[in-house]
Amino acid sequence: MESISVFEIIKVGIGPSSSHTMGPWNAAAAFIRIIKRERSIEDVQEVFLEFFGSLAKTGIGHGTDIAGMLGLNGEDFRTIDTSKIDAEVDRIKTTQVLNLGGEKEIPFVYGYHLVLNMQKSLEFHPNGMIFRAVFNDGTELIQDFYSVGGGFIMSQEKKSIEKHCVRTLYPCHKSADIQKYCKKLGLDKISDLILMNEESWRSQEETRQEALYIWQQIKECIYKGVNKEGVLPGGLNVSRRAAAINRKLLGDKIYKNIDEWFRLVVDAEENFTNINKWIACFALAVNEENASFGRIITAPTNGASGVIPAVLMYAQAFTPFTSEDDIVRFLLVAGEIGTLFKKNATISAAMGGCQAEVGVSSAMAAAGLTEILGGSVGQVLMAAEIAMEHHLGLTCDPIKGLVQIPCIERNSMGAIKAITAANIALESDPAKARVTLDEVIQTMWETAQAMSDRFKETSEGGLAIAVNVPEC
């Protein structure tokens, strides 16, 4: 089985959805690379893009169409100025011209060159899409892609995606592998094992720097979220709430930058109610940014992007474990737990419901927190198991296909569950646990397969049809 770096699971992303926004964006970029490899951008006369299944049914709400256009237009979601996205999309639609790969202008009519096919699903995966390039000589290049969660893409033809397979020194594809290698190497910390394995991609110092960069991005995202008010885009008229909670908790205190704000949070009155509200505030802030095409940290998906930031910010603000080393260890362990779900189940709501997103993120956060709070190897894995056990069967039923209701609040709940799971694990003996993390991952996958497609990010069941709202 292929090894996955923790920074493929926890990475810089853009809202509102990893599978429905980042995945199609990555697929468009991959298609551009295939064109360049097989022919030339200059030879292209037209490009067509068709989305199927879940991608089509919730495509407008998730910005799937926007991602496809901007990806073909040569934009990178990691660097694009998010404040200019609307203007660029309007330009493409109005002028009916796409700058393919950022190199050649070609005609592009929305609704003709880009289609959301809500009547058909591709057999390989519910998040399917087909790209077609027509060349000047009349020949065509056709490529299918599937967005499988967390921004990852696949194709039925492996050669279509250039990827270098990596095998780590101590492959950890099950939680039992982690326990085995920690025991064999005499390691008390899972993060020490993961740090060694990450050397398959980069040096230990580079891994530390990447983790600290992720932390800086988390802080910036939360800071943006707690300082923005108004209504989220999409037509549901969902009001931002993080800013009001932040203002109420800080009272009349004034800050001018992120560092001053963070210091005020750390120095704020600490009681159970206030800390609980801060955790909710952190998660809401991130997911409100995600819902408005903001830059966030995908962990492991965008729909679940608020859980790990909320729990890590909680640890940094309200526990003694605030060193850079604690940040690195938290993220390494959280990311590694995410890889176990990715390899043995799914992190795609279109495949497994929200248990595959917020549930996985809660398990990741619980493990990371337990690691830095002094938990043993067994307690860390137990915390992840507890968090997922109490998310089993969680459906994905976004109203109008928007990553807003119930997604935003659900991240706050996932963060609280993660902290609770960590606290329970720290007071427990893993040797007496009746359920292992591997067993709960297997159960999650079986539950995902048995779950009706109506509850898998199609907006055809649950709250999505129970709640009557005007057309967005």
Side-chain angles (χ1 to χ4, degrees):
M1 187 179 291
E2 180 186 352
S3 296
I4 301 174
S5 168
V6 298
F7 296 123
E8 292 183 71
I9 298 294
I10 302 177
K11 54 188 178 290
V12 175
I14 192 170
S17 171
S18 51
S19 58
H20 286 55
T21 313
M22 287 169 55
W25 204 317
N26 281 331
F31 188 59
I32 295 295
R33 292 195 296 273
I34 294 172
I35 292 175
K36 290 181 177 180
R37 187 182 69 204
E38 301 293 329
R39 296 283 294 267
S40 167
I41 292 291
E42 285 301 318
D43 293 339
V44 178
Q45 186 175 21
E46 286 183 286
V47 167
F48 296 84
L49 169 56
E50 187 169 6
F51 293 108
F52 300 88
S54 178
L55 286 182
K57 292 174 181 177
T58 62
I60 301 298
H62 286 96
T64 304
D65 54 342
I66 292 173
M69 284 188 286
L70 293 180
L72 289 173
N73 204 52
E75 304 288 354
D76 187 335
F77 63 75
R78 300 164 191 83
T79 58
I80 190 173
D81 183 344
T82 56
S83 67
K84 297 180 179 179
I85 286 178
D86 289 343
E88 183 60 17
V89 170
D90 287 341
R91 183 198 67 76
I92 294 171
K93 288 182 175 180
T94 302
T95 64
Q96 298 187 342
V97 172
L98 181 81
N99 191 19
L100 186 63
E103 298 179 20
K104 181 186 178 182
E105 292 188 342
I106 60 173
F108 192 87
V109 179
Y110 185 92
Y112 174 68
H113 290 97
L114 187 151
V115 175
L116 297 167
N117 189 334
M118 301 183 190
Q119 280 70 51
K120 181 180 178 182
S121 292
L122 302 184
E123 292 183 3
F124 189 70
H125 191 280
N127 283 341
M129 64 201 105
I130 294 178
F131 291 80
R132 178 165 64 96
V134 180
F135 297 101
N136 295 328
D137 61 5
T139 59
E140 297 184 351
L141 175 64
I142 301 174
Q143 182 61 59
D144 63 329
F145 287 106
Y146 304 89
S147 182
V148 295
F152 290 90
I153 56 173
M154 292 180 62
S155 171
Q156 292 190 72
E157 297 181 47
K158 293 182 179 179
K159 68 180 179 62
S160 67
I161 302 178
E162 314 88 338
K163 194 168 183 180
H164 175 62
C165 294
V166 173
R167 180 179 172 87
T168 56
L169 187 60
Y170 304 106
C172 295
H173 304 313
K174 302 273 188 179
S175 68
D177 296 331
I178 294 175
Q179 290 180 305
K180 176 182 70 177
Y181 286 122
C182 283
K183 183 178 181 180
K184 178 180 179 180
L185 299 171
L187 301 176
D188 296 325
K189 291 288 186 181
I190 293 177
S191 51
D192 288 333
L193 174 64
I194 308 311
L195 189 61
M196 287 189 286
N197 276 342
E198 287 295 308
E199 288 189 88
S200 296
W201 291 275
R202 69 195 79 76
S203 69
Q204 289 196 10
E205 180 55 32
E206 288 172 329
T207 291
R208 287 183 58 83
Q209 291 307 311
E210 182 66 17
L212 295 175
Y213 168 72
I214 293 290
W215 166 237
Q216 183 61 35
Q217 293 296 306
I218 286 173
K219 285 199 298 183
E220 290 180 10
C221 181
I222 293 175
Y223 184 70
K224 288 178 182 177
V226 299
N227 285 287
K228 285 185 184 178
E229 305 206 45
V231 175
L232 295 172
L236 277 182
N237 295 319
V238 174
S239 296
R240 287 177 176 261
R241 285 173 286 178
I245 297 173
N246 175 71
R247 188 168 55 251
K248 183 175 181 179
L249 288 170
L250 291 182
D252 58 0
K253 296 181 177 64
I254 298 173
Y255 53 88
K256 299 178 182 178
N257 55 53
I258 189 170
D259 292 327
E260 291 182 7
W261 170 79
F262 181 68
R263 178 46 52 192
L264 289 175
V265 173
V266 171
D267 293 339
E269 180 183 355
E270 291 189 21
N271 57 56
F272 178 81
T273 299
N274 281 2
I275 291 176
N276 203 325
K277 287 181 179 179
W278 273 120
I279 295 165
C281 179
F282 300 149
L284 292 175
V286 171
N287 286 93
E288 286 168 1
E289 280 296 287
N290 180 64
S292 55
F293 269 93
R295 183 158 289 113
I296 47 82
I297 295 299
T298 301
T301 65
N302 288 19
S305 59
V307 178
I308 283 176
V311 176
L312 183 52
M313 182 65 83
Y314 155 78
Q316 286 289 298
F318 303 116
T319 79
F321 304 95
T322 60
S323 70
E324 289 188 347
D325 191 51
D326 289 319
I327 294 169
V328 174
R329 290 181 180 277
F330 180 104
L331 291 173
L332 287 178
V333 171
E336 186 66 10
I337 295 301
T339 71
L340 300 183
F341 283 95
K342 165 70 177 162
K343 288 181 280 193
N344 297 288
T346 181
I347 57 171
S348 167
M351 284 292 285
C354 200
Q355 61 174 355
E357 297 204 19
V358 169
V360 172
S361 189
S362 185
M364 292 165 63
L369 182 60
T370 306
E371 173 82 358
I372 66 172
L373 293 184
S376 66
V377 171
Q379 287 173 326
V380 169
L381 299 175
M382 185 181 189
E385 181 279 318
I386 292 172
M388 172 49 73
E389 184 178 330
H390 300 289
H391 279 93
L392 288 174
L394 188 61
T395 60
C396 179
D397 48 356
I399 297 176
K400 292 299 179 183
L402 297 168
V403 191
Q404 297 179 18
I405 303 174
C407 319
I408 295 175
E409 290 177 354
R410 190 168 281 175
N411 276 257
S412 294
M413 303 304 292
I416 293 297
K417 283 187 180 181
I419 295 170
T420 301
N423 287 332
I424 293 173
L426 286 167
E427 300 301 325
S428 301
D429 180 0
K432 297 180 180 179
R434 299 300 300 271
V435 182
T436 69
L437 178 56
D438 288 333
E439 289 170 337
V440 86
I441 292 175
Q442 179 185 356
T443 302
M444 181 267 226
W445 180 228
E446 291 174 353
T447 304
Q449 292 173 300
M451 186 182 292
S452 168
D453 288 345
R454 293 188 301 120
F455 303 109
K456 294 180 180 179
E457 209 171 3
T458 59
S459 286
E460 294 178 341
L463 289 175
I465 63 171
V467 178
N468 253 333
V469 295
E471 285 296 322
C472 297

